[in-house]
Amino acid sequence: MRARGSTVTLLPLVVVAALALGFLLLPAARAPRTERPHPALIVLGAAQYAGRPSPAFQRRLDHALALYRAGGVRTIVVTGGRRPGDPHSEGEVGVGYLGRRGVPATVLIAETRSRTTLENLRNARVYLLPSTPVTLVTDEAHAPRALALARALGLDANASASPLSPHPDRRYLLREKLALVAYALLGVGLR
């Protein structure tokens, strides 16, 4: 004979499981893409390999370059530190990449110590005057969480997302979804 309360006890678990499954199957949240960027861009770091931007980082940098060339951008802070033993930081690699494509050195700032999105934003803020509005440049999957973190830090921020690769890594998309939920529920600024 089954206990009468067991069905009632399982109901919340079934509801939570159904919500979690639905969340994981839904397309990723996307930050609105701003039409006009602010005069200051923060390009959030991504991997670099032996002094060359990874494909994901290159898409972010190319997007920042297009925004700069469209006019109105006066400062670009490229963020990202280095892994232990790596002679190159993401910030330095990104600034070099943009510099070789004609962005003047007076526009470019390399933030070279951060390893997480939260650190990217905190450290980039140091290079800007207080209350400077910023446009975050990152990819479509990362933009919603990056924008939420920036606003939580008190930044006047919007986002202009670069496209994802034609075949994005599903693990990356899932990680960004889970990190956004963790931030929303727990206030955790995961990577």
Side-chain angles (χ1 to χ4, degrees):
M1 178 176 244
R2 207 165 64 179
R4 187 167 177 244
S6 65
T7 304
V8 175
T9 304
L10 289 176
L11 185 60
L13 293 175
V14 170
V15 170
V16 168
L19 289 173
L21 183 62
F23 171 77
L24 294 175
L25 296 176
L26 286 175
R30 295 181 188 225
R33 189 172 187 171
T34 186
E35 293 298 317
R36 287 193 141 237
H38 293 299
L41 303 181
I42 297 176
V43 181
L44 298 175
Q48 60 79 28
Y49 306 119
R52 299 179 58 114
S54 66
F57 195 23
Q58 185 173 335
R59 282 189 297 277
R60 293 177 189 186
L61 293 166
D62 288 341
H63 187 67
L65 181 61
L67 294 173
Y68 172 77
R69 287 180 175 164
V73 173
R74 294 190 300 270
T75 304
I76 302 173
V77 181
V78 183
T79 65
R82 69 184 86 223
R83 294 185 182 269
D86 194 337
H88 306 284
S89 73
E90 295 163 8
E92 293 165 333
V93 168
V95 162
Y97 181 89
L98 292 172
R100 287 188 298 278
R101 280 148 188 83
V103 179
T106 56
V107 171
L108 298 169
I109 300 169
E111 181 285 313
T112 61
R113 296 177 301 128
S114 60
R115 296 298 312 144
T116 67
T117 302
L118 190 58
E119 289 175 357
N120 289 160
L121 296 166
R122 281 184 178 148
N123 295 351
R125 174 172 69 177
V126 171
Y127 293 103
L128 303 169
L129 294 173
S131 302
T132 299
V134 297
T135 296
L136 306 181
V137 177
T138 188
D139 63 62
E140 293 172 344
H142 186 230
R145 184 170 58 88
L147 191 55
L149 288 170
R151 290 178 176 164
L153 289 173
L155 291 170
D156 177 5
N158 61 23
S160 184
S162 65
L164 290 167
S165 73
H167 305 287
D169 181 351
R170 289 180 189 264
R171 290 173 302 186
Y172 172 67
L173 298 176
L174 178 61
R175 186 189 82 174
E176 279 304 319
K177 280 185 175 184
L178 293 174
L180 182 59
V181 168
Y183 173 73
L185 294 176
L186 307 172
V188 177
L190 304 171
R191 301 187 59 79

